[in-house]
Structure formats: C-alpha cells, structure tokens
Amino acid sequence: MFPGEFGAGGREGAAGVGRRTVAKAAVLGAALVVTGAGGAGARDRATAGLVPRLPAPSGPYPLGVTTLHLADRRRRDPWVPGIPFRELMVTVFYPARDVHGHPVAHQMTADAAAGFAEIGPAVHPGLPAAGVDWAGTLTHAHTGAPALPGRRPVLLHSPGGADPRTLGTGLAEELASRGRVVVTVDHPGDASVVDFPARTAWRKKVRTTVFEGDPRRDPGLFRTAIGTRVADLRFVLDQLGILAAGGNPDVAGRQLPAGLGRALDLRRVGAYGHSAGGTAVAQALYEDRRIRAAVGMEGYLDHPPQAPGRAGELFPVARYGVDRPLLLVGTDGFDDKEALERSWSAAAAHPGGHVRRRRIDRAGHWVFTDFGAVVARLHEAGLMTREDRVRLVGAMGPAESVPLVRGLVGSFFDRWVA
C-alpha cells in the first residue's frame, strides 16, 4: 500500500517522508558510486548487528530457488527515460528433488541488503537505522537445486509499493513447500532496491526507487505505477511460458535448475499481492484469463481522487467485477480503512459471489510481509519501540499471525488453484 510506505499510514506528512526517502536514496546512490555497488563500505553497513530469522515453512517438500533477469523489449521503462526497455528481476521457489550440495540462499543479496539498510527506515518509519544485519538472513531454499518431477500450480507474487520482492520470502516459501511454484516479482523504479546481475550502460547494478512521496497523492503517478505492475505480471507469465516450453528467458542465458520448466503447469495460475501489489494482482485477474484466482492483501481498487472531496475512479475489477475468485484480506489496524472500503464494497457488490473478504484483527498493514515475523524480534532486542512494532504489524505476535496469514492464503489457493 502506498499510504504508509512514505508516511506511516498517514500519521506523518507524505512530503516530509518523501524528502527523506529521496535524501537517503541519494546517499545510497553516492555510496554505490564510491564503493562500487556492493564494495566493502556498503557490505560493512549491511552486515553489522542482529540477523533477522524467517520462520520455517511447514509443508512436506524441500525447496529450491533461483533468480531470473528478464527483459521486455516491447516496453520502455516508465520511470527513467534513459533506460531503453523494461527489465525485471524475479525469484522462483519450487519443490526440489534433492538439495544436497546446493547452498541455502540468503533472503537478500549483500548489495540489496546494503540498499535496504539505507532506504528501508525512510520507507518504513520505525525500522532501525542501524543494528540489523539484513544481509545475514537465510531462507530455507537451496540455490539451483533440481526441481521435483511433476507439473505444479504457479503463483505470482507482487509486493507492496516501494517494497522489494524479498520481503515476501516467508509466505512464498510456505506456499512452495506445499507443492507450488512461486514466482516473486520486483517492479524496478517502484521497489526500494533491485539488485541486477551486473551494471549496464543505462543503470547501476542496484536500482533504487524513484518515488519522492506517496503516489496516492498523485493520480497520474499512481496510474502509471499500477499499470506498470499489471504489465510486469503479464509479461512474467509470458516468460514462464517460454520456460515451460523448454526455453531460457534469462537475459544472460544463465543455467537454470534441472527440471524447472517441466515443473510449471500454466493451466493452474494464481496471483497474490500486498498493498500496491494487491491492487495489481486484482486488476491482473480482471485483464488476464490465464490467472484463475487472486488474493489482494490491503490494496486499493480505485484511483486517487482528481480533486479533494471527489471519489476516485474505480479500477475495472471493482467497477465491473470478476468471474473468478478474488479474496480481499485487510486488517483492523490499517489507517485508511474508510477509503479502502469504498472500492472493496463495489467489487464485492457484483453478482456471482466471486469476491470474498476477510479481516485480521490486532494486526497492521505489514503483517502480510516478512515484517510480521521479524519486527517482534527487533523490538525485543531494543531496536524498535513497541509503538513502531504495533504500527507496522499490529499487536498480534508472530506465533499467531504468521500461521494465520499462511493459512488464509494457502487454503484459498488449495481450493481454487489446486
């Protein structure tokens, strides 16, 4: 959700937080120029302090993981004129046949962690500015492990506005451990940090967010952000089709895990997203019939109003409804519930009963992300105040919230994308 990602859910002025975001982004950019995008200085900042730990997935399958660098040469990048085409980074989690000899992957690369350590506290006020080793967190997935034979449902994940895809690792691993292939998608220019395999003539290795404030306060910016995300998701589906057909869509043709393409059953595709990602997957469900069902976690289904006191235009998914299942999940702790209610009620009012709604009490907006699991530990370690912890994820502890979120999303896809 854009509100809060640059202003603590409306508690703090978007313009002020946006200026700090830009300032931190500028500092990061300068640091990467000086240190070489991941040099010793950046790594030292990213690797000092407490190491957040992700909860283990509960499914029966061991996990493999790989990344793909994708390029859509039919689209120019919408955010930076000098970037000649749209580039994406995605992570693929999947049930593995054998993980022996394949190292456990980190949640973030060292370069991405350095960027997140700089920008994260500006995007999410209350996160520690120091004392956290974001680069040290391990996943439960093994890099490059061969895929378990058999065709499996595919789930796409779109993260919150300005959030990197890596903040959805815990839920992605849970869903993959129960027999699915999960593809988490970064949206460069929107995401706070995206680490590419290499620098190019048109961008640095680590690309940071262009947002200077809350896009919900800028109707044109918001329209571009969501439209870009929907196009990104549909393009990723296209590229997965190439992979399933035996091709290699990675820009550099990097070696892919054995059997990965054969594991994709693109007749069974779902999508889930948080915040701006929730908006994007709901609209992608409307636009792309390859997606059979979607979960939107606290994402608006309307555009910002063009003028104060006026209602914003509904997205087509809310205006016209959908003929496939859409689950909308919110929290009692979200600051902008009234604005959210208008578009969600419109979506649910259409006949057919395809839109379902659920609410999690004692929870905050980022309970759907890995913050739901890790900020309690940061609070216990004295790195965050209780107020900041509650503002981010709510009062519910991770022992309760993590299984609850996993259960809601997992059971929905068990029923509709099985």
Side-chain angles (χ1 to χ4, degrees):
M1 186 67 57
F2 289 115
E5 285 156 4
F6 292 90
R11 297 184 205 279
E12 190 170 356
V17 179
R19 284 192 293 271
R20 287 199 298 279
T21 301
V22 173
K24 283 183 175 289
V27 170
L28 172 62
L32 295 180
V33 170
V34 172
T35 63
R43 281 194 172 87
D44 287 346
R45 286 195 302 276
T47 58
L50 182 146
V51 177
R53 295 183 179 179
L54 299 175
S58 65
Y61 297 106
L63 297 179
V65 66
T66 193
T67 60
L68 294 172
H69 176 201
L70 305 176
D72 185 353
R73 300 180 187 278
R74 300 168 302 177
R75 287 189 293 155
R76 294 190 67 87
D77 187 85
W79 304 117
V80 178
I83 297 179
F85 50 84
R86 184 67 173 159
E87 293 178 281
L88 302 175
M89 289 298 299
V90 306
T91 296
V92 185
F93 297 92
Y94 53 90
R97 184 184 76 228
D98 179 19
V99 299
H100 296 295
H102 296 274
V104 174
H106 285 78
Q107 180 185 22
M108 300 183 190
T109 66
D111 291 347
F116 186 76
E118 294 277 358
I119 296 177
V123 176
H124 300 288
L127 277 188
V132 184
D133 178 5
W134 297 107
T137 302
L138 294 173
T139 70
H140 303 87
H142 298 258
T143 302
L148 187 69
R151 295 278 184 178
R152 306 191 179 280
V154 175
L155 302 179
L156 301 180
H157 170 244
S158 181
D163 280 343
R165 71 191 191 278
T166 47
L167 283 186
T169 296
L171 182 54
E173 288 192 319
E174 172 68 14
L175 295 169
S177 78
R178 295 189 168 276
R180 307 169 180 97
V181 176
V182 182
V183 183
T184 64
V185 182
D186 258 336
H187 302 284
D190 177 332
S192 56
V193 287
V194 181
D195 185 16
F196 288 94
R199 184 187 182 115
T200 67
W202 54 84
R203 59 152 174 79
K204 299 173 183 176
K205 183 175 182 291
V206 176
R207 185 174 173 185
T208 56
T209 184
V210 302
F211 293 155
E212 298 182 5
D214 178 1
R216 281 293 293 186
R217 297 174 184 264
D218 184 332
L221 189 66
F222 186 80
R223 187 179 296 273
T224 298
I226 301 303
T228 299
R229 282 169 169 262
V230 172
D232 287 347
L233 292 171
R234 300 187 69 179
F235 171 70
V236 169
L237 270 179
D238 294 340
Q239 300 307 289
L240 294 178
I242 294 173
L243 181 58
N248 184 347
D250 185 79
V251 167
R254 293 175 297 172
Q255 183 175 355
L256 300 178
L260 181 59
R262 294 190 298 275
L264 304 174
D265 186 350
L266 296 178
R267 299 167 301 175
R268 297 182 288 168
V269 174
Y272 67 100
H274 170 241
S275 198
T279 308
V281 300
Q283 184 57 28
L285 176 71
Y286 177 85
E287 294 186 21
D288 198 319
R289 299 201 66 84
R290 291 175 295 181
I291 302 174
R292 292 175 54 172
V295 180
M297 295 175 278
E298 223 151 51
Y300 295 104
L301 298 183
D302 62 356
H303 293 277
Q306 294 287 336
R310 295 176 57 185
E313 176 190 1
L314 293 173
F315 279 96
V317 64
R319 189 185 320 144
Y320 303 116
V322 286
D323 60 358
R324 283 152 291 146
L326 171 62
L327 175 63
L328 302 175
V329 187
T331 68
D332 65 337
F334 182 53
D335 286 342
D336 208 21
K337 288 190 288 293
E338 289 186 9
L340 198 68
E341 178 62 28
R342 173 181 173 268
S343 63
W344 281 23
S345 294
H350 296 284
H354 299 292
V355 177
R356 296 157 175 82
R357 296 181 57 173
R358 293 290 300 272
R359 190 181 81 172
I360 302 176
D361 291 333
R362 297 185 296 117
H365 184 57
W366 284 274
V367 75
F368 302 108
T369 73
D370 289 332
F371 288 154
V374 306
V375 298
R377 180 70 184 93
L378 301 182
H379 169 225
E380 292 165 2
L383 296 170
M384 291 181 66
T385 66
R386 185 180 188 283
E387 179 183 10
D388 285 333
R389 169 189 167 180
V390 170
R391 180 185 54 78
L392 279 174
V393 300
M396 186 186 300
E400 186 178 357
S401 67
V402 170
L404 181 55
V405 171
R406 288 176 169 186
L408 280 172
V409 178
S411 62
F412 177 82
F413 287 128
D414 281 345
R415 181 174 182 183
W416 299 110
V417 189

